[in-house]
Amino acid sequence: MRSLEDRIVTKPDDNIDELRKKHPEGLHFAVGDIHGEVRTLKKLMKKIRFDPARDHVYFVGDYDSGGDVTALLNYMSRYYQADHELPGFHMIRGNHERELFPVYPLENLPDIMVVRGRKLNFYIAHAGIVSAAFGLINDDMSREPHRKVFAYRLEDSTCCYDAPLRQVVWSLRGLYSQRSWRHVWPSEEDLTAHNACIIHGHSPYCYFKKPDRFTYGDDNLFWRSQHVWFCSELRSFNIDANVKGREQNGETYRGIACLCMEVYDELADKHDGCLSTDLVHDAENGIFGAEYEHCGWNYSTSSPDSILNAVCDMKTIVLEGDVLKIR
Ligand SMILES: [Mn+2]
């Protein structure tokens, strides 16, 4: 087992201009849990110099519960794109949209999106991907080899309490903690065979970090500067930087983090799909963070229509008897 210090990566996130120079065609980002904190999100978008005409930004869900959700969705609706091929904001639902009495349940949005990069396939889901969904989606994707983005909605029966895909939208402490005692996460071989990189939120880093150790998984790393954690083969990233300020073990950092897909896609491409922590230490930074800033009071009376009325191109995962199917 690695020492705690070996498992911590520290990289400053001041390299967006270099990334922009390298990728004038635009960048793909995934953004962690926001919980109504519109001002912090705007700060993060400013930091990555978000360009709505060129960038694709994917959100892992949990817009509600905290901050000002109406102000947040009003801001997000400016850039929202129901057409996943076009640049702008793309959203999936989190457990706060599905349960917990959300102000906006966003029932017309997908729960899982997959973005095909040059080498890696990025699976974006609120709490993670379980093997049952992984296999189903990969079969579906193999039928459309030229499609870049896939979107799936989970029918309630597939992810309600005790349902097979429950942990895609809601897992108690993140899938990693469950990986060792419930085999729900796709195997390392499966993830490698499909060039998979799972991006999720839902579980803030502070749930897993004790003063002298981590309490989840065996081989996860902590990205100190932006407060996210990931597995050493880079097969998954948890980008929930605890904007709600949930406190555990004296950790009080609050922020929103995002990941630039191009950085890890390129790294995987260069190393024939084999990623490792050692590569991360030498590679350019691909994780950006914005520290929490109180969103204050907003007096907007409009509603986030472009999101609420969106008609997304997505398939539905259903449960027929006890068999999962894509419709
Ligand atoms: Mn959540």
Side-chain angles (χ1 to χ4, degrees):
M1 178 98 104
R2 295 160 197 262
S3 72
L4 181 74
E5 278 308 310
D6 277 354
R7 294 169 69 188
I8 292 178
V9 174
T10 305
K11 270 181 180 290
D13 57 356
D14 55 359
N15 56 321
I16 193 66
D17 289 339
E18 287 97 272
L19 272 179
R20 292 277 172 204
K21 259 179 235 154
K22 236 167 99 182
H23 299 277
E25 74 286 1
L27 295 166
H28 291 68
F29 294 93
V31 178
D33 308 36
I34 306 166
H35 292 296
E37 300 298 348
V38 61
R39 190 172 287 184
T40 312
L41 175 62
K42 284 181 183 172
K43 204 167 137 186
L44 180 63
M45 292 299 105
K46 200 171 163 189
K47 184 165 199 166
I48 62 168
R49 303 198 202 293
F50 166 61
D51 179 352
R54 275 186 275 266
D55 294 343
H56 292 255
V57 183
Y58 303 87
F59 293 88
V60 301
D62 276 10
Y63 312 103
D64 211 323
S65 186
D68 184 335
V69 66
T70 302
L72 170 69
L73 294 182
N74 273 326
Y75 165 69
M76 293 182 78
S77 70
R78 269 190 240 166
Y79 306 112
Y80 179 73
Q81 288 286 8
D83 184 341
H84 304 306
E85 302 286 329
L86 298 176
F89 285 179
H90 308 282
M91 300 163 72
I92 62 167
R93 304 164 77 196
N95 61 303
H96 281 266
E97 282 67 58
R98 300 201 65 108
E99 297 173 20
L100 302 173
F101 312 105
V103 179
Y104 304 98
L106 307 180
E107 273 160 5
N108 52 340
L109 298 188
D111 298 282
I112 301 170
M113 289 184 80
V114 187
V115 181
R116 272 196 176 128
R118 206 188 315 167
K119 181 74 181 178
L120 290 180
N121 295 308
F122 296 93
Y123 297 72
I124 303 160
H126 182 61
I129 290 281
V130 297
S131 58
F134 191 68
L136 205 63
I137 287 171
N138 289 328
D139 282 349
D140 186 59
M141 285 172 62
S142 68
R143 284 190 277 274
E144 291 184 87
H146 301 296
R147 201 185 173 110
K148 284 263 176 249
V149 189
F150 298 79
Y152 304 93
R153 191 179 77 86
L154 295 178
E155 199 184 63
D156 286 347
S157 62
T158 65
C159 57
C160 57
Y161 186 73
D162 252 7
L165 304 185
R166 175 73 175 166
Q167 292 171 39
V168 172
V169 290
W170 192 322
S171 63
L172 180 61
R173 295 224 153 169
L175 282 163
Y176 265 108
S177 59
Q178 301 179 7
R179 202 174 172 189
S180 49
W181 35 274
R182 281 177 72 173
H183 299 284
V184 292
W185 192 266
S187 69
E188 218 59 68
E189 294 74 32
D190 235 12
L191 292 170
T192 306
H194 289 92
N195 290 312
C197 179
I198 297 167
I199 302 175
H200 67 99
H202 182 65
S203 306
Y205 72 97
C206 61
Y207 280 10
F208 303 96
K209 198 168 161 283
K210 298 230 185 279
D212 58 344
R213 66 196 166 95
F214 296 102
T215 59
Y216 55 86
D218 295 328
D219 211 12
N220 292 285
L221 297 124
F222 179 58
W223 201 287
R224 175 153 39 202
S225 4
Q226 289 78 42
H227 291 79
V228 305
W229 54 271
F230 58 103
C231 80
S232 64
E233 311 83 5
L234 307 189
R235 292 291 171 209
S236 84
F237 285 84
N238 178 343
I239 53 173
D240 180 359
N242 196 31
V243 76
K244 270 183 95 170
R246 285 162 286 197
E247 196 184 325
Q248 196 130 339
N249 310 310
E251 288 276 1
T252 52
Y253 178 86
R254 301 180 71 171
I256 299 176
C258 71
L259 174 151
C260 176
M261 298 183 195
E262 274 78 4
V263 171
Y264 302 103
D265 196 22
E266 204 169 82
L267 200 62
D269 203 26
K270 253 192 224 158
H271 296 89
D272 202 26
C274 297
L275 294 167
S276 76
T277 327
D278 303 331
L279 293 174
V280 172
H281 284 286
D282 303 329
E284 63 196 322
N285 170 63
I287 309 276
F288 298 86
E291 204 168 333
Y292 169 77
E293 201 176 306
H294 182 55
C295 75
W297 294 104
N298 299 275
Y299 296 101
S300 169
T301 51
S302 61
S303 72
D305 288 337
S306 79
I307 299 172
L308 300 180
N309 303 328
V311 181
C312 301
D313 180 11
M314 61 184 169
K315 295 179 184 172
T316 303
I317 300 181
V318 300
L319 200 57
E320 283 179 15
D322 54 0
V323 182
L324 289 164
K325 287 185 179 160
I326 291 183
R327 251 197 227 133

